[in-house]
Amino acid sequence: MEKLVIRGGQPLQGSLPISASKNAALPLMAASLLAPGVTRLGNIPRLRDITTFSHVLRIAGAEVTRSGDGLEVDASRIFFPEAPYELVKKMRASFYMLGALLGRCGKARVSLPGGCAWGPRPVNLHIDGIKALGASIDLDEGYVVASSPGGRLDGGTFKLDPSSVGATVNILLAASTARGGSRIENAAIEPDVVVCCEMLQAMGARLGGVGTRTIEVEGVPLLRPAAFSNCPDRIELGTFMIAAAIAGIPGETVTLTRAHPGHLGEDFMEAFRQTGADCDIGANTVSVTAPEELTSVSITTGIYPGFPTDLQAQWSVLLACCPGTGSVTDTVYGDRFNHIPELARMGVRAQVSGNRVVVKGGTQLKGARVMSTDLRASVSLVLAGMVASGTTHVGRIYHLDRGYEKLEDKLSACGIDIRRERYDEFATPQRPDP
Ligand code: EPZ
């Protein structure tokens, strides 16, 4: 098992590069199965989730190899249209295989993803959307078994409620090669979905309304391989902006490079500015200057372009660094607060009630041994360790490695005292001799 050990109190200085987006890369990898031949995906991050999903594609018959800063996916032969539980349970986005395999092979057997660290993650919209395209669906021993009568889906119309990133992607993948036209209403408009649409168009898909809540798809028999480059990670960008605000030297600028500032949405940018942190936006940079004292700003998450739920754990740490009291309300995942008890061990004063946590700032955080429970909870503990006095040990960082590329290298290069260590989680602590 590995942990990150952080000696707090060192300021964050200099510039940090933003890696490629995890949540945009996964739909691109799934889409590559729709075309026989070699698809070249540029700017794919080196993360556990990418490794896991590469295995899922290989099981279906694709050859997936690292090439430069990305991947080459040879989907010439997709002969096993299945996604096994052992991999889908590790990474929910493997469920994209339902739409990809139906779109390519006319049939699919994909494990239901099950829950995650903070509760149920339903897939009813994915299944109902695929049914609306004409697929027949059975549930068998925890697997979704889908097929297209006649080998090709008809196409159809489906309205998402609520708007779902994953369901939008899955329906898009299946509809792209359907016999007729399809329409997705109340579609997700996150950048991850727009980038997926742009790649599908590069592969020959006929889409209208890209980036809007109504996407029209005119099915084509087969797509062609493409070369396509992924976008930067907006959640890593937001995470590092928060890091700069709480750990930067007041008045000294920290610059985030290789970024796509527009992908964060106005709600986050507005809340960030209200904290008093100065934020200068460039074409592909964000320069953050911490104020002498941060202002507590309460936020409520929402679907894009609302405040991203994937940044609410990190925001709670920012609130802990401000005088006064603020709150974080998550309207997307009402129970995504497993990080709060761990932060409390570092002195964060927070009270969870329903889908809201109220954080009372103004106290000096203290280093402690804490445990990651999920990807974004894990990075919130690292942020807290950076500003805490003393040393913080963040355990189970396999969660962190799912979504943050070379985090300790990036932070070390900017002055943070952080290192990765192996440890035995099951070692029995010994009491000192009397
Ligand atoms: C994507 O998950 C992201 N994952 C999540 O990021 C992110 O938190 C989430 O979108 C919301 O922005 C990837 O892109 C791989 P949803 P997804 O379907 O697609 C409800 C991270 O940390 N819903 O948009 O699974 C659902 O309960 C991860 O990087 C249904 O009711 O999210 C939620 O309330 C965590 N039925 C809302 O929709 C369904 O069939 C949005 O979920 C599907 C979703």
PDB file of all heavy atoms in Angstrom, residues 22-23 26 92-93 96 118 120-126 162-167 190 192 234 303 309-310 332-333 336 375-376, ligand 1:
ATOM      1  N   LYS A  22      -9.001  13.118 -17.462  1.00  0.00           N
ATOM      2  CA  LYS A  22      -9.408  11.724 -17.260  1.00  0.00           C
ATOM      3  C   LYS A  22     -10.829  11.520 -17.778  1.00  0.00           C
ATOM      4  O   LYS A  22     -11.096  10.608 -18.559  1.00  0.00           O
ATOM      5  CB  LYS A  22      -9.360  11.365 -15.785  1.00  0.00           C
ATOM      6  CG  LYS A  22     -10.102  10.087 -15.414  1.00  0.00           C
ATOM      7  CD  LYS A  22     -10.084   9.788 -13.937  1.00  0.00           C
ATOM      8  CE  LYS A  22     -11.154  10.436 -13.120  1.00  0.00           C
ATOM      9  NZ  LYS A  22     -12.438   9.750 -13.082  1.00  0.00           N
ATOM     10  N   ASN A  23     -11.736  12.404 -17.361  1.00  0.00           N
ATOM     11  CA  ASN A  23     -13.156  12.167 -17.660  1.00  0.00           C
ATOM     12  C   ASN A  23     -13.521  12.430 -19.107  1.00  0.00           C
ATOM     13  O   ASN A  23     -14.598  12.034 -19.548  1.00  0.00           O
ATOM     14  CB  ASN A  23     -14.034  12.989 -16.721  1.00  0.00           C
ATOM     15  CG  ASN A  23     -13.995  12.435 -15.304  1.00  0.00           C
ATOM     16  OD1 ASN A  23     -13.463  11.348 -15.076  1.00  0.00           O
ATOM     17  ND2 ASN A  23     -14.525  13.196 -14.365  1.00  0.00           N
ATOM     18  N   LEU A  26     -11.885   8.908 -21.204  1.00  0.00           N
ATOM     19  CA  LEU A  26     -12.582   7.620 -21.150  1.00  0.00           C
ATOM     20  C   LEU A  26     -13.637   7.483 -22.254  1.00  0.00           C
ATOM     21  O   LEU A  26     -13.676   6.465 -22.946  1.00  0.00           O
ATOM     22  CB  LEU A  26     -13.172   7.415 -19.754  1.00  0.00           C
ATOM     23  CG  LEU A  26     -12.111   7.341 -18.643  1.00  0.00           C
ATOM     24  CD1 LEU A  26     -12.761   7.430 -17.260  1.00  0.00           C
ATOM     25  CD2 LEU A  26     -11.275   6.066 -18.752  1.00  0.00           C
ATOM     26  N   ARG A  92     -16.340   2.765 -12.853  1.00  0.00           N
ATOM     27  CA  ARG A  92     -17.723   2.878 -13.309  1.00  0.00           C
ATOM     28  C   ARG A  92     -17.817   3.239 -14.775  1.00  0.00           C
ATOM     29  O   ARG A  92     -18.700   2.747 -15.488  1.00  0.00           O
ATOM     30  CB  ARG A  92     -18.390   3.943 -12.434  1.00  0.00           C
ATOM     31  CG  ARG A  92     -19.730   4.390 -12.863  1.00  0.00           C
ATOM     32  CD  ARG A  92     -20.197   5.582 -12.038  1.00  0.00           C
ATOM     33  NE  ARG A  92     -21.367   6.179 -12.617  1.00  0.00           N
ATOM     34  CZ  ARG A  92     -22.584   5.666 -12.502  1.00  0.00           C
ATOM     35  NH1 ARG A  92     -22.746   4.558 -11.831  1.00  0.00           N
ATOM     36  NH2 ARG A  92     -23.602   6.244 -13.080  1.00  0.00           N
ATOM     37  N   ALA A  93     -16.925   4.043 -15.280  1.00  0.00           N
ATOM     38  CA  ALA A  93     -17.021   4.500 -16.678  1.00  0.00           C
ATOM     39  C   ALA A  93     -16.847   3.346 -17.651  1.00  0.00           C
ATOM     40  O   ALA A  93     -17.128   3.499 -18.840  1.00  0.00           O
ATOM     41  CB  ALA A  93     -15.982   5.574 -16.944  1.00  0.00           C
ATOM     42  N   TYR A  96     -19.463   2.504 -20.210  1.00  0.00           N
ATOM     43  CA  TYR A  96     -19.552   3.046 -21.575  1.00  0.00           C
ATOM     44  C   TYR A  96     -19.465   1.930 -22.618  1.00  0.00           C
ATOM     45  O   TYR A  96     -19.811   2.108 -23.783  1.00  0.00           O
ATOM     46  CB  TYR A  96     -18.419   4.030 -21.846  1.00  0.00           C
ATOM     47  CG  TYR A  96     -18.490   5.334 -21.081  1.00  0.00           C
ATOM     48  CD1 TYR A  96     -17.332   6.059 -20.804  1.00  0.00           C
ATOM     49  CD2 TYR A  96     -19.693   5.869 -20.640  1.00  0.00           C
ATOM     50  CE1 TYR A  96     -17.384   7.252 -20.105  1.00  0.00           C
ATOM     51  CE2 TYR A  96     -19.749   7.059 -19.948  1.00  0.00           C
ATOM     52  CZ  TYR A  96     -18.593   7.745 -19.670  1.00  0.00           C
ATOM     53  OH  TYR A  96     -18.641   8.919 -18.984  1.00  0.00           O
ATOM     54  N   TRP A 118     -19.320   6.714  -2.170  1.00  0.00           N
ATOM     55  CA  TRP A 118     -20.257   7.582  -1.461  1.00  0.00           C
ATOM     56  C   TRP A 118     -21.717   7.225  -1.757  1.00  0.00           C
ATOM     57  O   TRP A 118     -22.627   8.017  -1.595  1.00  0.00           O
ATOM     58  CB  TRP A 118     -19.990   9.056  -1.779  1.00  0.00           C
ATOM     59  CG  TRP A 118     -20.216   9.457  -3.189  1.00  0.00           C
ATOM     60  CD1 TRP A 118     -21.414   9.774  -3.774  1.00  0.00           C
ATOM     61  CD2 TRP A 118     -19.229   9.583  -4.215  1.00  0.00           C
ATOM     62  NE1 TRP A 118     -21.236  10.092  -5.088  1.00  0.00           N
ATOM     63  CE2 TRP A 118     -19.915   9.978  -5.389  1.00  0.00           C
ATOM     64  CE3 TRP A 118     -17.856   9.415  -4.260  1.00  0.00           C
ATOM     65  CZ2 TRP A 118     -19.261  10.195  -6.603  1.00  0.00           C
ATOM     66  CZ3 TRP A 118     -17.210   9.630  -5.457  1.00  0.00           C
ATOM     67  CH2 TRP A 118     -17.897  10.026  -6.603  1.00  0.00           C
ATOM     68  N   PRO A 120     -25.023   4.949  -3.929  1.00  0.00           N
ATOM     69  CA  PRO A 120     -25.494   4.378  -5.192  1.00  0.00           C
ATOM     70  C   PRO A 120     -25.197   5.308  -6.363  1.00  0.00           C
ATOM     71  O   PRO A 120     -25.236   6.522  -6.226  1.00  0.00           O
ATOM     72  CB  PRO A 120     -27.007   4.256  -4.981  1.00  0.00           C
ATOM     73  CG  PRO A 120     -27.355   5.239  -3.924  1.00  0.00           C
ATOM     74  CD  PRO A 120     -26.147   5.343  -3.049  1.00  0.00           C
ATOM     75  N   ARG A 121     -24.837   4.710  -7.455  1.00  0.00           N
ATOM     76  CA  ARG A 121     -24.638   5.474  -8.697  1.00  0.00           C
ATOM     77  C   ARG A 121     -25.512   4.788  -9.749  1.00  0.00           C
ATOM     78  O   ARG A 121     -25.094   3.887 -10.429  1.00  0.00           O
ATOM     79  CB  ARG A 121     -23.171   5.462  -9.105  1.00  0.00           C
ATOM     80  CG  ARG A 121     -22.218   6.131  -8.121  1.00  0.00           C
ATOM     81  CD  ARG A 121     -22.185   7.627  -8.261  1.00  0.00           C
ATOM     82  NE  ARG A 121     -21.622   8.078  -9.505  1.00  0.00           N
ATOM     83  CZ  ARG A 121     -20.311   8.178  -9.756  1.00  0.00           C
ATOM     84  NH1 ARG A 121     -19.456   7.771  -8.846  1.00  0.00           N
ATOM     85  NH2 ARG A 121     -19.878   8.635 -10.907  1.00  0.00           N
ATOM     86  N   PRO A 122     -26.784   5.191  -9.854  1.00  0.00           N
ATOM     87  CA  PRO A 122     -27.709   4.457 -10.738  1.00  0.00           C
ATOM     88  C   PRO A 122     -27.291   4.530 -12.209  1.00  0.00           C
ATOM     89  O   PRO A 122     -26.557   5.436 -12.611  1.00  0.00           O
ATOM     90  CB  PRO A 122     -29.039   5.193 -10.516  1.00  0.00           C
ATOM     91  CG  PRO A 122     -28.676   6.531  -9.988  1.00  0.00           C
ATOM     92  CD  PRO A 122     -27.403   6.352  -9.204  1.00  0.00           C
ATOM     93  N   VAL A 123     -27.746   3.582 -12.989  1.00  0.00           N
ATOM     94  CA  VAL A 123     -27.523   3.583 -14.440  1.00  0.00           C
ATOM     95  C   VAL A 123     -28.841   3.406 -15.188  1.00  0.00           C
ATOM     96  O   VAL A 123     -28.861   3.030 -16.364  1.00  0.00           O
ATOM     97  CB  VAL A 123     -26.524   2.486 -14.862  1.00  0.00           C
ATOM     98  CG1 VAL A 123     -25.115   2.831 -14.418  1.00  0.00           C
ATOM     99  CG2 VAL A 123     -26.959   1.111 -14.369  1.00  0.00           C
ATOM    100  N   ASN A 124     -29.940   3.686 -14.504  1.00  0.00           N
ATOM    101  CA  ASN A 124     -31.258   3.528 -15.143  1.00  0.00           C
ATOM    102  C   ASN A 124     -31.403   4.348 -16.411  1.00  0.00           C
ATOM    103  O   ASN A 124     -31.988   3.915 -17.412  1.00  0.00           O
ATOM    104  CB  ASN A 124     -32.369   3.888 -14.146  1.00  0.00           C
ATOM    105  CG  ASN A 124     -32.237   5.325 -13.648  1.00  0.00           C
ATOM    106  OD1 ASN A 124     -31.194   5.724 -13.131  1.00  0.00           O
ATOM    107  ND2 ASN A 124     -33.258   6.126 -13.839  1.00  0.00           N
ATOM    108  N   LEU A 125     -30.801   5.541 -16.427  1.00  0.00           N
ATOM    109  CA  LEU A 125     -30.928   6.398 -17.622  1.00  0.00           C
ATOM    110  C   LEU A 125     -30.151   5.806 -18.797  1.00  0.00           C
ATOM    111  O   LEU A 125     -30.588   5.873 -19.954  1.00  0.00           O
ATOM    112  CB  LEU A 125     -30.423   7.808 -17.313  1.00  0.00           C
ATOM    113  CG  LEU A 125     -31.221   8.591 -16.266  1.00  0.00           C
ATOM    114  CD1 LEU A 125     -30.524   9.910 -15.945  1.00  0.00           C
ATOM    115  CD2 LEU A 125     -32.650   8.838 -16.735  1.00  0.00           C
ATOM    116  N   HIS A 126     -28.998   5.191 -18.493  1.00  0.00           N
ATOM    117  CA  HIS A 126     -28.225   4.536 -19.555  1.00  0.00           C
ATOM    118  C   HIS A 126     -29.085   3.446 -20.201  1.00  0.00           C
ATOM    119  O   HIS A 126     -29.198   3.354 -21.430  1.00  0.00           O
ATOM    120  CB  HIS A 126     -26.962   3.869 -18.978  1.00  0.00           C
ATOM    121  CG  HIS A 126     -25.998   4.786 -18.313  1.00  0.00           C
ATOM    122  ND1 HIS A 126     -24.699   4.952 -18.728  1.00  0.00           N
ATOM    123  CD2 HIS A 126     -26.114   5.577 -17.214  1.00  0.00           C
ATOM    124  CE1 HIS A 126     -24.055   5.800 -17.939  1.00  0.00           C
ATOM    125  NE2 HIS A 126     -24.898   6.188 -17.008  1.00  0.00           N
ATOM    126  N   PRO A 162     -32.325  13.043 -14.370  1.00  0.00           N
ATOM    127  CA  PRO A 162     -31.639  14.295 -14.620  1.00  0.00           C
ATOM    128  C   PRO A 162     -30.684  14.177 -15.807  1.00  0.00           C
ATOM    129  O   PRO A 162     -30.471  13.068 -16.320  1.00  0.00           O
ATOM    130  CB  PRO A 162     -30.850  14.507 -13.325  1.00  0.00           C
ATOM    131  CG  PRO A 162     -30.551  13.117 -12.864  1.00  0.00           C
ATOM    132  CD  PRO A 162     -31.751  12.307 -13.225  1.00  0.00           C
ATOM    133  N   SER A 163     -30.123  15.305 -16.184  1.00  0.00           N
ATOM    134  CA  SER A 163     -29.134  15.294 -17.250  1.00  0.00           C
ATOM    135  C   SER A 163     -27.914  14.528 -16.739  1.00  0.00           C
ATOM    136  O   SER A 163     -27.425  14.797 -15.634  1.00  0.00           O
ATOM    137  CB  SER A 163     -28.728  16.744 -17.579  1.00  0.00           C
ATOM    138  OG  SER A 163     -27.653  16.732 -18.455  1.00  0.00           O
ATOM    139  N   SER A 164     -27.469  13.541 -17.499  1.00  0.00           N
ATOM    140  CA  SER A 164     -26.399  12.651 -17.017  1.00  0.00           C
ATOM    141  C   SER A 164     -25.265  12.589 -18.033  1.00  0.00           C
ATOM    142  O   SER A 164     -25.510  12.304 -19.215  1.00  0.00           O
ATOM    143  CB  SER A 164     -26.966  11.242 -16.814  1.00  0.00           C
ATOM    144  OG  SER A 164     -25.938  10.259 -16.944  1.00  0.00           O
ATOM    145  N   VAL A 165     -24.039  12.837 -17.575  1.00  0.00           N
ATOM    146  CA  VAL A 165     -22.865  12.761 -18.462  1.00  0.00           C
ATOM    147  C   VAL A 165     -22.743  11.360 -19.036  1.00  0.00           C
ATOM    148  O   VAL A 165     -22.706  11.161 -20.246  1.00  0.00           O
ATOM    149  CB  VAL A 165     -21.589  13.134 -17.675  1.00  0.00           C
ATOM    150  CG1 VAL A 165     -20.344  12.835 -18.500  1.00  0.00           C
ATOM    151  CG2 VAL A 165     -21.624  14.590 -17.249  1.00  0.00           C
ATOM    152  N   GLY A 166     -22.721  10.381 -18.149  1.00  0.00           N
ATOM    153  CA  GLY A 166     -22.490   9.005 -18.587  1.00  0.00           C
ATOM    154  C   GLY A 166     -23.572   8.496 -19.503  1.00  0.00           C
ATOM    155  O   GLY A 166     -23.290   7.860 -20.520  1.00  0.00           O
ATOM    156  N   ALA A 167     -24.820   8.815 -19.169  1.00  0.00           N
ATOM    157  CA  ALA A 167     -25.923   8.318 -20.007  1.00  0.00           C
ATOM    158  C   ALA A 167     -25.897   8.994 -21.376  1.00  0.00           C
ATOM    159  O   ALA A 167     -26.141   8.358 -22.405  1.00  0.00           O
ATOM    160  CB  ALA A 167     -27.259   8.561 -19.309  1.00  0.00           C
ATOM    161  N   GLU A 190     -21.420  18.948 -20.425  1.00  0.00           N
ATOM    162  CA  GLU A 190     -20.063  19.039 -19.890  1.00  0.00           C
ATOM    163  C   GLU A 190     -19.058  18.983 -21.041  1.00  0.00           C
ATOM    164  O   GLU A 190     -19.320  18.326 -22.062  1.00  0.00           O
ATOM    165  CB  GLU A 190     -19.806  17.871 -18.932  1.00  0.00           C
ATOM    166  CG  GLU A 190     -20.241  18.088 -17.490  1.00  0.00           C
ATOM    167  CD  GLU A 190     -21.751  18.006 -17.268  1.00  0.00           C
ATOM    168  OE1 GLU A 190     -22.514  17.933 -18.244  1.00  0.00           O
ATOM    169  OE2 GLU A 190     -22.181  18.054 -16.106  1.00  0.00           O
ATOM    170  N   ASP A 192     -16.600  17.189 -21.336  1.00  0.00           N
ATOM    171  CA  ASP A 192     -16.290  15.773 -21.634  1.00  0.00           C
ATOM    172  C   ASP A 192     -17.220  15.251 -22.729  1.00  0.00           C
ATOM    173  O   ASP A 192     -16.812  14.463 -23.583  1.00  0.00           O
ATOM    174  CB  ASP A 192     -16.457  14.931 -20.373  1.00  0.00           C
ATOM    175  CG  ASP A 192     -15.859  15.613 -19.147  1.00  0.00           C
ATOM    176  OD1 ASP A 192     -14.904  16.389 -19.319  1.00  0.00           O
ATOM    177  OD2 ASP A 192     -16.373  15.398 -18.043  1.00  0.00           O
ATOM    178  N   ARG A 234     -10.175  19.716 -16.384  1.00  0.00           N
ATOM    179  CA  ARG A 234     -10.717  20.902 -15.723  1.00  0.00           C
ATOM    180  C   ARG A 234     -10.783  20.730 -14.197  1.00  0.00           C
ATOM    181  O   ARG A 234     -10.698  21.699 -13.444  1.00  0.00           O
ATOM    182  CB  ARG A 234     -12.107  21.226 -16.281  1.00  0.00           C
ATOM    183  CG  ARG A 234     -13.149  20.146 -16.061  1.00  0.00           C
ATOM    184  CD  ARG A 234     -14.355  20.325 -16.971  1.00  0.00           C
ATOM    185  NE  ARG A 234     -15.296  19.220 -16.804  1.00  0.00           N
ATOM    186  CZ  ARG A 234     -16.407  19.285 -16.066  1.00  0.00           C
ATOM    187  NH1 ARG A 234     -16.725  20.424 -15.483  1.00  0.00           N
ATOM    188  NH2 ARG A 234     -17.209  18.234 -15.927  1.00  0.00           N
ATOM    189  N   ILE A 303     -25.103  20.601 -12.230  1.00  0.00           N
ATOM    190  CA  ILE A 303     -24.600  20.073 -13.503  1.00  0.00           C
ATOM    191  C   ILE A 303     -24.026  21.236 -14.294  1.00  0.00           C
ATOM    192  O   ILE A 303     -24.344  22.401 -14.047  1.00  0.00           O
ATOM    193  CB  ILE A 303     -25.711  19.344 -14.302  1.00  0.00           C
ATOM    194  CG1 ILE A 303     -26.860  20.291 -14.623  1.00  0.00           C
ATOM    195  CG2 ILE A 303     -26.184  18.094 -13.576  1.00  0.00           C
ATOM    196  CD1 ILE A 303     -27.886  19.683 -15.567  1.00  0.00           C
ATOM    197  N   THR A 309     -19.377  19.112  -8.932  1.00  0.00           N
ATOM    198  CA  THR A 309     -19.377  18.286  -7.718  1.00  0.00           C
ATOM    199  C   THR A 309     -17.987  17.713  -7.442  1.00  0.00           C
ATOM    200  O   THR A 309     -17.622  17.493  -6.281  1.00  0.00           O
ATOM    201  CB  THR A 309     -20.404  17.146  -7.822  1.00  0.00           C
ATOM    202  OG1 THR A 309     -20.272  16.266  -6.694  1.00  0.00           O
ATOM    203  CG2 THR A 309     -20.215  16.319  -9.074  1.00  0.00           C
ATOM    204  N   ASP A 310     -17.191  17.543  -8.475  1.00  0.00           N
ATOM    205  CA  ASP A 310     -15.842  16.976  -8.305  1.00  0.00           C
ATOM    206  C   ASP A 310     -14.877  17.954  -7.647  1.00  0.00           C
ATOM    207  O   ASP A 310     -13.731  17.589  -7.384  1.00  0.00           O
ATOM    208  CB  ASP A 310     -15.269  16.541  -9.653  1.00  0.00           C
ATOM    209  CG  ASP A 310     -16.042  15.393 -10.261  1.00  0.00           C
ATOM    210  OD1 ASP A 310     -16.866  14.795  -9.531  1.00  0.00           O
ATOM    211  OD2 ASP A 310     -15.860  15.095 -11.442  1.00  0.00           O
ATOM    212  N   VAL A 332     -25.799  17.246  -6.761  1.00  0.00           N
ATOM    213  CA  VAL A 332     -25.591  16.155  -7.720  1.00  0.00           C
ATOM    214  C   VAL A 332     -25.464  14.822  -6.986  1.00  0.00           C
ATOM    215  O   VAL A 332     -26.133  13.848  -7.304  1.00  0.00           O
ATOM    216  CB  VAL A 332     -24.341  16.431  -8.589  1.00  0.00           C
ATOM    217  CG1 VAL A 332     -24.114  15.300  -9.589  1.00  0.00           C
ATOM    218  CG2 VAL A 332     -24.486  17.767  -9.313  1.00  0.00           C
ATOM    219  N   TYR A 333     -24.577  14.801  -5.984  1.00  0.00           N
ATOM    220  CA  TYR A 333     -24.441  13.602  -5.131  1.00  0.00           C
ATOM    221  C   TYR A 333     -24.617  14.055  -3.685  1.00  0.00           C
ATOM    222  O   TYR A 333     -23.726  14.693  -3.112  1.00  0.00           O
ATOM    223  CB  TYR A 333     -23.056  12.967  -5.296  1.00  0.00           C
ATOM    224  CG  TYR A 333     -22.785  12.466  -6.690  1.00  0.00           C
ATOM    225  CD1 TYR A 333     -21.783  13.037  -7.461  1.00  0.00           C
ATOM    226  CD2 TYR A 333     -23.542  11.430  -7.235  1.00  0.00           C
ATOM    227  CE1 TYR A 333     -21.524  12.576  -8.750  1.00  0.00           C
ATOM    228  CE2 TYR A 333     -23.286  10.969  -8.523  1.00  0.00           C
ATOM    229  CZ  TYR A 333     -22.279  11.550  -9.269  1.00  0.00           C
ATOM    230  OH  TYR A 333     -22.032  11.107 -10.535  1.00  0.00           O
ATOM    231  N   ARG A 336     -21.850  12.837  -0.717  1.00  0.00           N
ATOM    232  CA  ARG A 336     -20.423  12.769  -1.079  1.00  0.00           C
ATOM    233  C   ARG A 336     -19.573  13.514  -0.053  1.00  0.00           C
ATOM    234  O   ARG A 336     -18.916  14.497  -0.348  1.00  0.00           O
ATOM    235  CB  ARG A 336     -20.260  13.371  -2.487  1.00  0.00           C
ATOM    236  CG  ARG A 336     -18.926  13.104  -3.139  1.00  0.00           C
ATOM    237  CD  ARG A 336     -18.894  13.701  -4.540  1.00  0.00           C
ATOM    238  NE  ARG A 336     -17.645  13.349  -5.220  1.00  0.00           N
ATOM    239  CZ  ARG A 336     -17.391  13.629  -6.487  1.00  0.00           C
ATOM    240  NH1 ARG A 336     -18.264  14.303  -7.210  1.00  0.00           N
ATOM    241  NH2 ARG A 336     -16.248  13.265  -7.045  1.00  0.00           N
ATOM    242  N   LEU A 375     -11.526   9.349  -4.901  1.00  0.00           N
ATOM    243  CA  LEU A 375     -10.565  10.161  -5.640  1.00  0.00           C
ATOM    244  C   LEU A 375     -10.506  11.607  -5.160  1.00  0.00           C
ATOM    245  O   LEU A 375      -9.447  12.129  -4.781  1.00  0.00           O
ATOM    246  CB  LEU A 375     -10.919  10.110  -7.137  1.00  0.00           C
ATOM    247  CG  LEU A 375     -10.253  11.091  -8.074  1.00  0.00           C
ATOM    248  CD1 LEU A 375      -8.745  11.014  -7.994  1.00  0.00           C
ATOM    249  CD2 LEU A 375     -10.740  10.848  -9.497  1.00  0.00           C
ATOM    250  N   ARG A 376     -11.619  12.282  -5.106  1.00  0.00           N
ATOM    251  CA  ARG A 376     -11.588  13.721  -4.793  1.00  0.00           C
ATOM    252  C   ARG A 376     -11.429  13.936  -3.288  1.00  0.00           C
ATOM    253  O   ARG A 376     -10.842  14.929  -2.863  1.00  0.00           O
ATOM    254  CB  ARG A 376     -12.837  14.419  -5.320  1.00  0.00           C
ATOM    255  CG  ARG A 376     -13.117  14.167  -6.772  1.00  0.00           C
ATOM    256  CD  ARG A 376     -11.948  14.554  -7.707  1.00  0.00           C
ATOM    257  NE  ARG A 376     -12.251  14.139  -9.097  1.00  0.00           N
ATOM    258  CZ  ARG A 376     -11.422  14.280 -10.111  1.00  0.00           C
ATOM    259  NH1 ARG A 376     -10.231  14.804  -9.915  1.00  0.00           N
ATOM    260  NH2 ARG A 376     -11.727  13.871 -11.327  1.00  0.00           N
TER     261      ARG A 376
HETATM  262  C1  EPZ B   1     -19.405  11.769 -14.340  1.00  0.00           C
HETATM  263  O1  EPZ B   1     -19.979  10.666 -13.679  1.00  0.00           O
HETATM  264  C2  EPZ B   1     -17.978  11.862 -13.827  1.00  0.00           C
HETATM  265  N1  EPZ B   1     -17.264  10.633 -14.119  1.00  0.00           N
HETATM  266  C3  EPZ B   1     -17.985  12.106 -12.316  1.00  0.00           C
HETATM  267  O2  EPZ B   1     -16.623  12.313 -11.925  1.00  0.00           O
HETATM  268  C4  EPZ B   1     -18.774  13.377 -12.027  1.00  0.00           C
HETATM  269  O3  EPZ B   1     -18.845  13.554 -10.629  1.00  0.00           O
HETATM  270  C5  EPZ B   1     -20.182  13.256 -12.611  1.00  0.00           C
HETATM  271  O4  EPZ B   1     -20.104  12.984 -14.029  1.00  0.00           O
HETATM  272  C6  EPZ B   1     -21.004  14.518 -12.423  1.00  0.00           C
HETATM  273  O5  EPZ B   1     -20.371  15.583 -13.023  1.00  0.00           O
HETATM  274  C7  EPZ B   1     -16.767  10.435 -15.353  1.00  0.00           C
HETATM  275  O6  EPZ B   1     -16.927  11.258 -16.232  1.00  0.00           O
HETATM  276  C8  EPZ B   1     -16.021   9.161 -15.572  1.00  0.00           C
HETATM  277  P1  EPZ B   1     -23.808  11.488 -14.056  1.00  0.00           P
HETATM  278  P2  EPZ B   1     -21.397  10.072 -14.185  1.00  0.00           P
HETATM  279  O7  EPZ B   1     -24.409  10.339 -14.747  1.00  0.00           O
HETATM  280  O8  EPZ B   1     -21.508  10.161 -15.648  1.00  0.00           O
HETATM  281  C9  EPZ B   1     -27.819  10.709 -11.693  1.00  0.00           C
HETATM  282  C10 EPZ B   1     -14.666  11.937 -10.697  1.00  0.00           C
HETATM  283  O9  EPZ B   1     -14.391  12.199  -9.510  1.00  0.00           O
HETATM  284  N2  EPZ B   1     -27.996   9.557 -12.575  1.00  0.00           N
HETATM  285  O10 EPZ B   1     -23.663  12.778 -14.775  1.00  0.00           O
HETATM  286  O11 EPZ B   1     -21.619   8.749 -13.556  1.00  0.00           O
HETATM  287  C11 EPZ B   1     -26.674  10.527 -10.704  1.00  0.00           C
HETATM  288  O12 EPZ B   1     -27.113   9.842  -9.545  1.00  0.00           O
HETATM  289  C12 EPZ B   1     -16.015  11.338 -11.050  1.00  0.00           C
HETATM  290  O13 EPZ B   1     -13.891  12.157 -11.666  1.00  0.00           O
HETATM  291  C13 EPZ B   1     -29.189   8.830 -12.508  1.00  0.00           C
HETATM  292  O14 EPZ B   1     -30.075   9.148 -11.732  1.00  0.00           O
HETATM  293  O15 EPZ B   1     -22.392  11.105 -13.515  1.00  0.00           O
HETATM  294  C14 EPZ B   1     -26.261  11.947 -10.393  1.00  0.00           C
HETATM  295  O16 EPZ B   1     -27.098  12.487  -9.393  1.00  0.00           O
HETATM  296  C15 EPZ B   1     -16.861  11.049  -9.826  1.00  0.00           C
HETATM  297  N3  EPZ B   1     -29.344   7.759 -13.335  1.00  0.00           N
HETATM  298  C16 EPZ B   1     -26.538  12.677 -11.700  1.00  0.00           C
HETATM  299  O17 EPZ B   1     -27.390  11.813 -12.471  1.00  0.00           O
HETATM  300  C17 EPZ B   1     -28.379   7.395 -14.239  1.00  0.00           C
HETATM  301  O18 EPZ B   1     -28.588   6.421 -14.999  1.00  0.00           O
HETATM  302  C18 EPZ B   1     -25.319  12.972 -12.509  1.00  0.00           C
HETATM  303  O19 EPZ B   1     -24.619  11.749 -12.691  1.00  0.00           O
HETATM  304  C19 EPZ B   1     -27.181   8.146 -14.294  1.00  0.00           C
HETATM  305  C20 EPZ B   1     -27.014   9.234 -13.462  1.00  0.00           C
END
